Structures are given as C-alpha cells and as structure tokens.
C-alpha cells in the first residue's frame, strides 16, 4: 500500500472505512484501467438498433444484468465508443454504472416534478428524463455558467425535452421553492476520492483533510436546501463519489440534526455485492443508527465508488433549528 502514489493519510483513512477483505480490490480499482460503462439512450434510439450498430462497428460489449439497456466494454473500447456515430447522435451515453444506480435509487416517475440540484454536465439529468419518459418537469440547477452550457448541449443531443436549466446556487433553491418537488437528486460537488487514479496524479493533487471539511460545509447547505425543496412525502437522493464520512454520513447526520422527525432514511436495494452499509461511527464520532440504511458502493473494475442515501420527507416542518433524533423504529429518525 505504501508504494501507491496517493497521499498516505488518504490511504490510512481508506483502510479505516473499507472492510479489510475488500481493501485489496478497492485499491486495485484505483490503479488498473476500468471497463467502460455505457447505456442506450431510449429517448434517441431503439436498443435493438444500437446493439446491431455496435456489432457492425465491431465494438465488444456485455449487458449489465441489473440495469436495463446498460452495458460495459473493455477499457480500450472507450475512444471507439466516444468517436462512434451512436455517441455523436445521442444514441448512447458513456456513464459509470454507479451514476446510473443513483438515478435508479431515486426512481423518478413519468409526470413528476423533479429537482436536480447540482446538475452539470447533465449525465444523470438525461437519465432522469429517460426514466420519466420525457413527461413531467425537471429543474436542473448548476452554479458554473460554462458547465451549465455544457449541460444544455448534452441534454439537447440526448433529446431531454422536459428540462429547464437554471444558473443558480443550489443552496438558495429550497428557500425560493419550498415543498415543491416530488423528488430531488443531489449529486453533490465533492472531493472526488473514488475517481482518484494512479495514472492521473492531477486527480488527487489537491486532496487534503481541509478540502474535505470545505466540501462538507457546502454539502450541508445543499442538502438542507434539497430537503426544504422536497414536498411532504417526497424523496431526496443524496450522493457523492467520495469515500470520506465527512462528505457522506456527517452531511446526512447534519440534516437529521436539523430536520429531526420530519425525515427518515430509506433502504436502497441494489442487487450487487460490492456494497457496504453507511457507517454509524467514524473515529470518535457516532452517527445516528439509521445511517446504516445508506450505502457505499465499493469501486470495482467496472464501478466507481459512490455513497447513496435516500431520504424521505415525512412532514412539513422546515428545519432550521437543531432537534434531537429519536430512533423509534428501524430506519426512522
Ligand atoms: N450530476 C452531474 C452528472 O451526473 O453529470 C454531476 C454533478 S457534479 C458531481 C457537481 C456539480 O455541482 C458540478 O457541476 C458543480 O459545478 C456544481 N456545483 C457546485 N456548487 C454548486 C452549488 N452551490 N449549486 C449548484 N451547483 C453546484
């Protein structure tokens, strides 16, 4: 482990988060090339035609058993997929399976009103639109103008017809549109720990524990806004591509402290074995037992690491004051 190029403290922390028997696989995933995840964009193409075109182009692919119309291809197929006419026309989207899993965990339905609070470059927004069969409305919020433009281009190519894009700070949205959305996706800006790769020193050059604390502060504000914006009975899916509990469990704990019994965490059934329940302890810090309902997807040769937490808003109390969590039944806070 010491000869890996990552910051030693990052590696020590990883060893404290990931179960010991899983650690070698997780470390391997940060060093070896990954298989490419992609999916057919049903807003633009029919799956039979895409499979035929891939065979014609002699691009090898394997279906993913648990995600309809999703596939993986060997790492060396990435550039051929990205140069393929199918990609240029929006018929396929290159997307990691963990990103697809986040949208599946939110489970948006046709006709609903959905908020995507940190949306660019729009990969998950496009899958939301597909799952909603382009019926209903998606408000997609992004704070960086150039990234918003990129997202608009992705959504246009992909045929998403129900998205309104907003250049705004997501932390202000809950105050502006309280209790409005059926579902909210918060794919939060984060340290990107699970995207670190030995071959890309830039991916981890700026990592520090101070950076984790900075990200955490922003994530707390965004999650509060997401929960304020969700209607009663609505669902917020909080996710990051970081391993750090400061960016994951601690952020959800802060929402539990603020919203108390107005929210509860729900299980996320994913039919994969590279999962770990949310931590209920990190060093000296204890988290609410309900956090075990969250999941950490451990990275593999085809999946990025991800943290997912599904939060249902069960009453309309807008939380700005801390309240104590009670644990009256499993998963209830
Ligand atoms: N969901 C996107 C996708 O799947 O394509 C990726 C989202 S990326 C993890 C997080 C995004 O949040 C970045 O584009 C970042 O610029 C944006 N962001 C950062 N701070 C924000 C804020 N305060 N409000 C809204 N968006 C923010």
């Amino acid at each position: 482990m010491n000869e890996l190029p990552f910051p030693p403290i990052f590696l020590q922390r990883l060893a404290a988060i990931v179960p010991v028997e899983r650690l070698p696989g997780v470390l391997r995933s940060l060093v070896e090339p990954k298989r490419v995840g992609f999916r057919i964009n049903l807003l633009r193409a029919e799956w039979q035609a895409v499979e035929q075109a891939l065979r014609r182009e002699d691009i090898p692919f394997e279906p993913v058993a648990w995600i309809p119309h999703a596939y993986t291809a060997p790492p060396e197929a990435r550039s051929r997929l990205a140069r393929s006419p199918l990609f240029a026309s929006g018929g396929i989207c290159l997307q990691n399976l963990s990103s697809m899993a986040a949208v599946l965990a939110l489970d948006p339905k046709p006709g609903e009103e959905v908020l995507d609070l940190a949306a660019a470059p729009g990969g998950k927004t496009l899958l939301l639109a597909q799952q909603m069969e382009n019926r209903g409305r998606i408000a997609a919020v992004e704070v960086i103008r150039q990234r918003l433009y990129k997202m608009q281009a992705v959504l246009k190519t992909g045929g998403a017809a129900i998205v309104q894009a907003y250049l705004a700070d997501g932390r202000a949205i809950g105050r502006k549109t309280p209790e409005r959305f059926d579902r909210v996706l918060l794919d939060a800006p984060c340290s990107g720990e699970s995207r670190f790769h030995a071959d890309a020193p830039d991916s981890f050059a700026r990592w520090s524990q101070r950076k984790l604390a900075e990200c955490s502060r922003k994530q707390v504000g965004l999650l509060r806004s997401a929960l304020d914006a969700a209607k009663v009975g609505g669902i917020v899916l909080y996710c990051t591509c970081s391993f750090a509990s400061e960016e994951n469990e601690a952020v959800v704990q802060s929402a539990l402290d603020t919203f108390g019994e107005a929210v509860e965490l729900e299980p996320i059934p994913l039919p994969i074995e590279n999962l770990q329940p949310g931590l209920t302890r990190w060093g000296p810090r204890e988290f609410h037992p309900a956090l075990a309902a969250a999941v950490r997807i451990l990275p593999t040769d085809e999946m990025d690491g991800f943290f997912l937490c599904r939060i249902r808003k069960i009453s309309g109390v807008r939380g700005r004051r801390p309240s104590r969590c009670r644990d009256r039944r499993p998963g209830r806070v």
Side-chain angles (χ1 to χ4, degrees), residues 117-124 142-144 147 168-170 187-189 218 222:
L117 200 55
K124 293 187 192 66
E142 168 58 46
V143 79
I144 298 177
R147 290 180 66 85
D169 187 327
D187 181 22
K218 187 178 218 186
L222 283 164

Side-chain angles (χ1 to χ4, degrees), residues 23-174:
L23 192 58
V26 168
L27 292 173
R28 216 177 308 120
S29 79
L30 303 179
V31 171
E32 292 180 353
K34 260 195 206 313
R35 288 180 67 80
V36 191
F38 70 98
R39 64 179 183 84
I40 296 176
N41 175 18
L42 300 173
L43 299 177
R44 280 288 187 225
E46 305 232 327
W47 68 268
Q48 295 94 332
V50 172
E51 288 196 355
Q52 277 168 16
L54 290 168
R55 286 195 192 95
R56 263 198 316 276
E57 291 185 43
D58 209 17
I59 298 178
F61 61 92
E62 275 177 27
V64 176
W66 56 282
I67 309 181
H69 312 301
Y71 305 81
T72 64
E76 56 279 9
R78 178 178 291 279
S79 59
R80 292 183 57 208
L81 282 164
R83 278 188 279 111
S84 123
L86 287 168
F87 180 72
S89 63
I92 59 166
C93 304
L94 303 193
Q95 188 168 44
N96 192 268
L97 306 185
S98 300
S99 290
M100 300 183 209
V103 176
L104 299 188
L106 181 62
D107 195 22
K109 305 285 189 222
E112 287 185 337
E113 190 161 27
V114 175
L115 172 64
D116 188 348
L117 200 55
K124 293 187 192 66
T125 323
L126 187 55
L127 183 51
L128 290 170
Q130 176 188 291
Q131 298 301 89
M132 294 165 69
E133 299 167 7
N134 253 342
R135 287 189 282 137
R137 174 178 175 257
I138 301 172
V141 176
E142 168 58 46
V143 79
I144 298 177
R145 187 179 296 273
Q146 290 310 319
R147 290 180 66 85
L148 184 94
Y149 292 156
K150 165 81 182 156
M151 172 176 81
Q152 286 173 319
V154 166
L155 296 173
K156 190 169 176 203
T157 307
I162 54 167
V163 183
Q164 285 170 312
Y166 297 92
L167 183 67
D169 187 327
R171 287 171 291 193
I173 301 299

